[in-house]
Amino acid sequence: MEFVAILMGSKSDYPVMEECINVLKKFDVPYEIVISSAHRSPNRTKEYVKNAEEKGAKVFIAAAGMAAHLAGAVASMTAKPVIGVPLKGGVLDGLDSLLSTVQMPSGMPVATLALGKTGAVNSAYLAMQILALSNTELGEKLKEDRVMKAKNVELDSSEIEVIL
């Protein structure tokens, strides 16, 4: 079974990554979620990535704050797409995690998204877009979602707009 594998550096990351999970649930996309640290539990991370690939993980989402090496560590262990979600925290309030995630060396790509909840939500959407390359049903759901988002903008505008 194809699924999205989500890794978080610590339990404190869960409230943010719950946003990602909610989007995947909305679209009925299977996922796994684990806590595994690039620094505190590197062997666990390596074993999880290996096992997840064997079970059918097609995309990995890695969320971490501060040094934020989790996405890069995962990218070094798989040729599957890796999406990094930098999280706020520490002295630099997320700038450090953003820079750590976005500055991957050549040949080790990590799709780096926005900090925090926006990044968590977009990580689910990007993972689904990747899955939709070979899943037309999911692709159609994503197109319908875009149509609904556009309609919601028009609805919101109609409640307040003044046009001369």
Side-chain angles (χ1 to χ4, degrees):
M1 169 181 62
E2 291 186 354
F3 65 94
V4 175
I6 304 166
L7 295 92
M8 301 177 299
S10 68
K11 189 175 180 180
S12 63
D13 301 335
Y14 184 76
V16 174
M17 292 313 293
E18 195 169 22
E19 300 292 326
C20 171
I21 292 164
N22 291 339
V23 173
L24 294 173
K25 283 180 180 177
K26 175 183 167 187
F27 285 86
D28 297 319
V29 172
Y31 66 90
E32 288 186 351
I33 187 163
V34 298
I35 297 170
S36 193
S37 169
H39 302 114
R40 295 183 302 271
S41 59
N43 293 332
R44 174 180 168 80
T45 302
K46 186 176 182 178
E47 278 301 307
Y48 176 74
V49 170
K50 178 182 173 235
N51 292 334
E53 276 193 321
E54 290 172 0
K55 291 190 311 186
K58 296 297 179 196
V59 181
F60 289 85
I61 297 172
M66 298 171 70
H69 292 132
L70 185 57
V74 171
S76 76
M77 299 170 192
T78 182
K80 304 283 187 202
V82 177
I83 301 167
V85 180
L87 300 176
K88 290 186 176 191
V91 177
L92 299 177
D93 199 29
L95 179 59
D96 46 354
S97 60
L98 174 63
L99 294 175
S100 294
T101 307
V102 79
Q103 295 186 98
M104 291 299 298
S106 183
M108 288 290 146
V110 169
T112 306
L113 300 179
L115 281 167
K117 289 185 178 186
T118 299
V121 168
N122 283 342
S123 72
Y125 276 99
L126 182 55
M128 291 187 301
Q129 288 175 328
I130 293 166
L131 294 175
L133 291 170
S134 61
N135 181 333
T136 54
E137 182 181 332
L138 181 57
E140 289 304 314
K141 287 182 181 179
L142 288 168
K143 287 177 187 174
E144 290 170 16
D145 184 64
R146 291 276 175 103
V147 169
M148 289 306 301
K149 282 179 173 34
K151 285 182 181 177
N152 286 339
V153 168
E154 290 176 22
L155 221 128
D156 288 347
S157 181
S158 71
E159 292 175 7
I160 64 164
E161 68 186 31
V162 176
I163 299 176
L164 299 177

